[in-house]
Amino acid sequence: MNGYRRDTLLDAGQQRNGVIELFLDNHRLSWQQNVERRLRRPDQASNGPVMPQEHPWEVTSVGNFSSALWSEDKSFIRLWYCAVGSASQSKANHISLAYAESGDGLKWEKPMMEHVAFGDTRATNLVLGPQTNPHGTCILLNQHNDDPKEKYLAYFDSYPAQRQNAPSHPSRGTYTVTSPDGLHWTPTLGTPAISSKSDTQQSVVWMPNHGQYTAFMRGTTSVNEPFKRFEQQRIRYVRSAWSDDFVNWSPAIELLRADEQDGNPDTQFHEFSVTKRGDQYIALVGMMRISQLLPSKTYITLEEATCDVQLMSSRDGTNWHRVADRQVFMPVDQPGPADYDHRHATTQNPLARNGELDESGLYTKGARSKVQIGNITRPVVYHMLGANLLFDDEKVYIFHGATNRWRKEGHSYCLHLSTLPRDRFQAIKPRRLAQPGIVETKPLYFRSDGDLVVNADASLGQLTVELTDFHGQVIPGFEESHSIAMTTDSYDHPMRWQSPSGTVGLNDASTQLKADPVSGAYPAIRVRFYLRQAWLYAVQWPLDEVALR
């Protein structure tokens, strides 16, 4: 199957007659002068967690992993999130997949159902229980067939030791389940997919040009060869695998690994969450920055680390580009998910012993202890990314887990929401404000039935455009001097040019050049942007199928 199928539940925005271009790479750009790229960091949607820990199956963490889709009528957000409860109450392991709904991403309703119990509690909002032990579940729409019983697909990691009498990999691995409604999943314990440890957020994306799903997972090497800097240090990297039917998967390959510029081996890729937007793939990359290696009875080594977020982009899901020269997209120095007070530390946790906290709220003896909510604000030290981004006409929704506890204290995550103005991941802006920044595209093939629609902030200056033919000759009537300047801050500004009969747009330039009598294709056009104290974020343009190859 090679046709394009759009995952409509990622985008609640209006259908637009154009392909979105985010300019996260130079794929469609031919020439740039006096410009630089600047990431726009997301805004926190609230001052703290957006979902309370109110049930026994949520007492340890809520939302450290999550996956979100719009409802079919686009009126509310459906969220599947990791809920970590008490092992003693579940009488087994304590990791489940829970479900909630929200109209704005801030206030959530958790529908109580009776088909998945937690211990002796029958009515829960769980859709996969602790017996399944799902880690980092990714939910997506079925794109390979129209079977109503398999409308929703899920992909998760799990541990064989916590799945008694369940189909399992020889060691750790990933599993798949399907559902007609996102609530009732079969088979309950999952079907084995890819072997090997991937105990973080999974991300699966449909690749329409290839007619297959790509799963992005974490991989781990056993030792840090060949450097031997730390004899037993683990290295985390990104791997991927493919499937046409969500059942039969290719062998996994190594896709990406942090390099020397990142600071490898002390900086590693912790998560890789991918979303398709236009004909580009956006990856939020968790950058795990290790500061200490601690002795541990459970692990060979226990890393103490922070985790901020960078961006990558790709056109095919295989070759990835580092956005904005590796600028940090989501830092870790923001207010934390809760305020913890060292005066309320307790050793009720059986893993805690001899724990002492100093006045800064940090452990002085390295013991693990449970810390109750109190009054001392501590910054986020770790972001755990959701499986995907959501879009509407106004913003981008980024659901993520966050914690301000160090690992030796025992991470406890809360669900956070950060947002961006729609499609404003990165700006192209003038480097020297005294002269315009100029960005020229490669020759592009457009249909004759669409507009050039710009997402930019030109409120302090202006943005103008001229159009040229394949060879760079300006098309008469579409000179920059005829361009009606954009001087506003807008997500959807259609560019126009003055003409004797009124105003004209991109479609008029396409028809003016006339279609090829044999192929029917219109000649290629270069688009040249002039930025005078203006920030260009994205465009929508009616690219012909030839341009998408």
Side-chain angles (χ1 to χ4, degrees), residues 422-533:
R422 194 191 77 218
D423 294 332
R424 294 191 170 185
F425 295 93
Q426 171 204 254
I428 299 179
K429 59 180 288 289
R431 186 174 62 253
R432 291 174 54 87
L433 297 181
Q435 62 190 78
I438 304 175
V439 177
E440 181 179 298
T441 72
K442 298 174 182 176
L444 302 175
Y445 293 88
F446 297 108
R447 304 189 312 272
S448 62
D449 60 349
D451 260 328
L452 172 61
V453 181
V454 173
N455 181 338
D457 184 355
S459 58
L460 298 179
Q462 67 175 37
L463 182 152
T464 52
V465 177
E466 68 181 2
L467 305 179
T468 81
D469 63 16
F470 190 101
H471 303 290
Q473 297 296 315
V474 177
I475 301 172
F478 293 89
E479 298 89 349
E480 192 216 349
S481 60
H482 288 189
S483 177
I484 300 175
M486 175 184 180
T487 58
T488 60
D489 183 354
S490 174
Y491 304 148
D492 299 290
H493 184 92
M495 296 305 300
R496 294 287 185 266
W497 290 260
Q498 291 283 2
S499 75
S501 60
T503 62
V504 292
L506 175 64
N507 58 321
D508 299 292
S510 297
T511 55
Q512 180 174 318
L513 293 177
K514 298 182 180 180
D516 183 276
V518 178
S519 67
Y522 287 90
I525 293 175
R526 294 177 186 266
V527 182
R528 190 176 292 157
F529 298 91
Y530 292 85
L531 310 175
R532 293 177 172 86
Q533 297 192 47

Side-chain angles (χ1 to χ4, degrees), residues 283-333:
L284 272 63
V285 188
M287 305 297 292
M288 182 180 184
R289 304 184 189 278
I290 299 168
S291 58
Q292 296 288 339
L293 293 174
L294 308 174
S296 170
K297 295 181 179 179
T298 306
Y299 299 97
I300 297 175
T301 55
L302 179 64
E303 302 100 330
E304 198 66 275
T306 61
C307 193
D308 56 57
V309 179
Q310 293 185 6
L311 290 183
M312 292 191 191
S313 68
S314 176
R315 299 287 170 163
D316 59 9
T318 301
N319 300 286
W320 290 88
H321 166 77
R322 307 296 288 266
V323 174
D325 197 28
R326 312 187 190 211
Q327 294 175 33
V328 174
F329 182 60
M330 295 172 62
V332 293
D333 56 353

Side-chain angles (χ1 to χ4, degrees), residues 51 54 56 80 106 114 134 144-145 175 184 224-225 243 284 323 332 379 385 442 480 486 504 510 528 534 547 549:
M51 182 179 290
E54 55 187 333
W80 294 261
L106 297 174
E114 294 194 355
H144 70 277
N145 68 39
Y175 299 80
H184 302 82
N224 182 27
E225 298 284 2
S243 175
L284 272 63
V323 174
V332 293
L385 300 169
K442 298 174 182 176
E480 192 216 349
M486 175 184 180
V504 292
S510 297
R528 190 176 292 157
R549 293 177 184 171

Side-chain angles (χ1 to χ4, degrees), residues 133 135 157-163 168 171-173 175 197 199:
N133 186 242
H135 295 244
D157 170 85
S158 192
Y159 291 77
Q162 297 175 341
R163 295 166 49 84
S168 297
S171 58
R172 300 177 183 177
Y175 299 80
K197 176 183 177 181
D199 59 341

